[in-house]
Amino acid sequence: MIPAQGTRPDRDAHVVVVGAGFSGIGAAVRLRRAGFRDVLVLEKGPQLGGTWRDNTYPGCACDVPSTLYSYSFTPDTAWTRVFAGQQEIHAYLRSTAERYGLGDVLRCGVRVLGARWDPALGRWRLETSDGPRTAAILVLATGPWHVPRHLDVPGVEEFPGPVLHTARWDHDVDLAGRRVAVVGSGASAIQLVPAIQSRASAVHLFQRTAPWVLPKPDLPVPAAFNRCLDRVPKARRALRAGQYGLQESLGCAFRHPELARLVEAGARAHLRLTVRDRRLRRALTPDYRLGCKRLLTSSTYYPALARPHVHLHPTAVAAVRGREIVGADGTAVPADVLVTATGFRVGELPLARSLHGADGRTLHEAWGGEPRAYLGTSVSGFPNLFVLLGPNLLGGSTSAITVLEAQLTYLTSALTHLDRSGHAALDVRPGAQAAYNTAVQEALRTTVYNSGGCTSYYLAPSGRNTFAWPWSTGRLVHRLSRFDPGAYTWYTPTGPALLPAPAAPRDGHHATPTPGEQRGERP
């Protein structure tokens, strides 16, 4: 087991990583493999795992194939299912940390309360739950699926029974024979409802917007198949490549809305074959382009909704009156347990309100409600700060681990360059960040994410898309594969005096936008 506390002094570390989920564990492994030994990972929870530690609701599993939703440097896991469940993924993260000896760099139970860039010191000053620390490099690995979005309607606080958010599940609450109201119809709800419907006496699902759902080929993986993959590494790589290709084919439909209709036909056929009731089928049919919201996969969701004791209410929840859950259309149903499957505040990065940059502004103030970064990783005005799974890097089909590993390549390249240059800090130039984000927003304009006729967590309240990457994953990996020093301002070890940027990489690659990207041209 990975110990919760190491033994070495660590008040001043070269690199501090905040968070010990997939991003934090992956960052620690890659940084150490790149030669950075003075790395510290601070995790506020009692153990590592991130979202796969926190989300333990019944039915919780990944919707990306297990072989693809794993580190490329730790691929040889004997997954028991095509789509791994929460417990198996959490165990994978723990075993990875043990395999790479992260016990001496991981500090669990340590919450980062705030951070401030000290230009005179050339370091980040951190306030944590166990005292002050400093870091030359700060890596935010807190992830976008971190801060739960709670139900905010009149009367919810007076509900007399248990109120559970899917990300904060209480396993002491027995659902057997009880009436359960579930609010939300996203990724958590379509896993939860099939898992609890056999125990509950009644399930009432409140659906504000119908999701697009494709069948999920979730099958057991025979032990003999895993042994074969162990013996033939090329077969494992081929399997991973095949799954990547399937995911990318969906991504192509999202970038070209006219192709989304082909996938919609498959989703409609899945709905028609599994739901015979025409009224129910009509309520479950989306009225927007596939991919505009997160595309979901399940082969058990529609059959569960067809059960006689499971009731779909195609309306938002407007209020809670005692034990009654009241819909916006006037529907009122009694419930003993209220479950909010309302997702996360994806655009609200933890620490954003307490992380102060070079000019004293917080990250929250700098963003003004619209998160943006250069290559989703560096934020102008925040020297030596790197954000993992940051703005405009993900999409409706991409494995987050593929994106993460591309970012880790960029991170290690940047730190290696900084270390060899003799500079103390680097800060992405405002012009480079602005040009990059202009290109991203222009390219997003015609994608299904922006033009699909819906509202989603991809969009900030202003309507700006702060989540999605508008091009192919291959292009993302290529853009992050080389670090371009010309996009950054470099600082001396003794203060904020500006220095010329070091020479560009010999291969001539530049991460600043190409003329075509500045015009918003799509690949």
Side-chain angles (χ1 to χ4, degrees):
M1 290 294 292
I2 293 294
Q5 194 72 17
T7 57
R8 67 178 181 82
D10 53 32
R11 289 291 153 189
D12 300 295
H14 183 60
V15 183
V16 167
V17 179
V18 183
F22 255 106
S23 297
I25 296 302
V29 172
R30 289 287 298 273
L31 285 167
R32 283 161 65 99
R33 292 178 70 183
F36 295 94
R37 310 306 299 176
D38 189 12
V39 177
L40 186 66
V41 181
L42 302 181
E43 168 56 53
K44 70 177 182 179
Q47 59 176 313
L48 62 82
T51 191
W52 296 107
R53 175 200 62 220
D54 294 342
N55 286 266
T56 63
Y57 60 85
C60 182
C62 191
D63 54 7
V64 174
S66 309
T67 305
L68 191 59
Y69 196 81
S70 54
Y71 299 119
S72 63
F73 52 82
T74 313
D76 53 340
T77 296
W79 298 108
T80 63
R81 302 195 67 85
V82 175
F83 296 85
Q86 174 267 331
Q87 292 184 342
E88 193 167 9
I89 297 173
H90 192 197
Y92 170 75
L93 284 172
R94 293 196 301 268
S95 67
T96 299
E98 292 176 4
R99 179 173 184 168
Y100 290 96
L102 300 187
D104 63 331
V105 305
L106 178 62
R107 305 291 178 271
C108 291
V110 178
R111 180 185 293 270
V112 177
L113 306 174
R116 184 179 295 271
W117 175 254
D118 187 330
L121 188 63
R123 295 177 70 86
W124 285 96
R125 292 187 180 274
L126 309 179
E127 289 298 326
T128 76
S129 57
D130 74 342
R133 301 171 183 268
T134 73
I137 309 296
L138 185 60
V139 179
L140 298 186
T142 50
W145 302 284
H146 183 82
V147 181
R149 181 183 295 278
H150 294 285
L151 181 64
D152 183 17
V153 297
V156 67
E157 294 181 356
E158 285 74 48
F159 182 73
V163 179
L164 311 176
H165 191 284
T166 48
R168 300 292 184 268
W169 195 263
D170 184 351
H171 291 272
D172 290 333
V173 176
D174 186 6
L175 303 182
R178 307 179 81 174
R179 299 166 297 182
V180 181
V182 179
V183 181
S185 55
S188 300
I190 72 162
Q191 295 179 343
L192 174 75
V193 170
I196 67 171
Q197 57 85 20
S198 62
R199 284 180 280 163
S201 63
V203 176
H204 295 275
L205 176 67
F206 285 82
Q207 170 196 275
R208 184 174 58 183
T209 308
W212 284 103
V213 181
L214 290 175
K216 184 177 183 179
D218 186 20
L219 302 171
V221 177
F225 182 75
N226 280 318
R227 289 195 296 270
C228 177
L229 294 180
D230 286 339
R231 294 192 187 101
V232 188
K234 287 185 178 180
R236 188 185 299 276
R237 289 194 294 271
L239 177 61
R240 187 180 177 104
Q243 291 172 339
Y244 172 84
L246 288 174
Q247 296 291 121
E248 281 302 285
S249 65
L250 283 175
C252 187
F254 298 159
R255 296 191 300 276
H256 303 279
E258 64 276 8
L259 298 179
R261 292 183 175 86
L262 300 177
V263 189
E264 285 177 11
R268 291 180 190 277
H270 173 52
L271 174 60
R272 189 166 52 251
L273 290 171
T274 51
V275 177
R276 296 299 184 183
D277 184 287
R278 290 187 177 181
R279 172 183 277 182
L280 179 59
R281 195 163 63 227
R282 192 178 309 118
L284 290 170
T285 302
D287 60 358
Y288 55 89
R289 193 93 287 145
L290 181 143
C292 183
K293 288 180 178 287
R294 181 176 175 180
L295 176 62
L296 307 180
T297 58
S298 175
S299 297
T300 57
Y301 179 60
Y302 287 154
L305 292 181
R307 299 291 298 274
H309 67 296
V310 179
H311 310 280
L312 176 71
H313 306 284
T315 179
V317 170
V320 177
R321 290 197 302 252
R323 286 195 177 275
E324 280 193 329
I325 313 302
V326 183
D329 64 352
T331 300
V333 299
D336 304 307
V337 179
L338 174 58
V339 176
T340 58
T342 42
F344 301 89
R345 298 188 178 277
V346 173
E348 296 186 17
L349 186 72
L351 286 181
R353 296 176 184 270
S354 58
L355 192 149
H356 298 260
D359 62 0
R361 289 191 303 166
T362 65
L363 189 58
H364 176 77
E365 291 169 337
W367 278 344
E370 297 181 352
R372 63 192 75 195
Y374 177 68
L375 293 175
T377 307
S378 300
V379 182
S380 184
F382 294 81
N384 288 8
L385 175 72
F386 296 87
V387 183
L388 299 181
L389 299 183
N392 292 111
L393 280 185
L394 297 167
S397 64
T398 305
S399 168
I401 311 307
T402 302
V403 175
L404 169 65
E405 292 208 47
Q407 274 193 289
L408 294 179
T409 296
Y410 188 83
L411 170 64
T412 54
S413 297
L415 298 194
T416 298
H417 203 110
L418 180 63
D419 185 55
R420 293 174 179 173
S421 72
H423 295 85
L426 74 169
D427 186 5
V428 67
R429 296 178 183 273
Q433 178 173 295
Y436 164 78
N437 278 280
T438 296
V440 167
Q441 293 302 316
E442 178 61 24
L444 280 167
R445 186 174 53 82
T446 55
T447 66
V448 72
Y449 305 123
N450 283 31
S451 63
C454 75
T455 58
S456 72
Y457 66 70
Y458 299 159
L459 308 179
S462 65
R464 180 188 179 93
N465 191 320
T466 62
F467 184 86
W469 169 261
W471 300 296
S472 68
T473 305
R475 182 164 175 167
L476 182 148
V477 171
H478 176 70
R479 288 295 303 275
L480 289 166
S481 65
R482 296 288 189 276
F483 173 72
D484 178 14
Y488 290 80
T489 297
W490 298 77
Y491 295 83
T492 66
T494 56
L498 303 185
L499 291 180
R506 289 185 180 180
D507 65 2
H509 176 87
H510 291 277
T512 50
T514 65
E517 288 167 338
Q518 291 173 349
R519 293 192 299 270
E521 294 177 3
R522 293 164 60 188

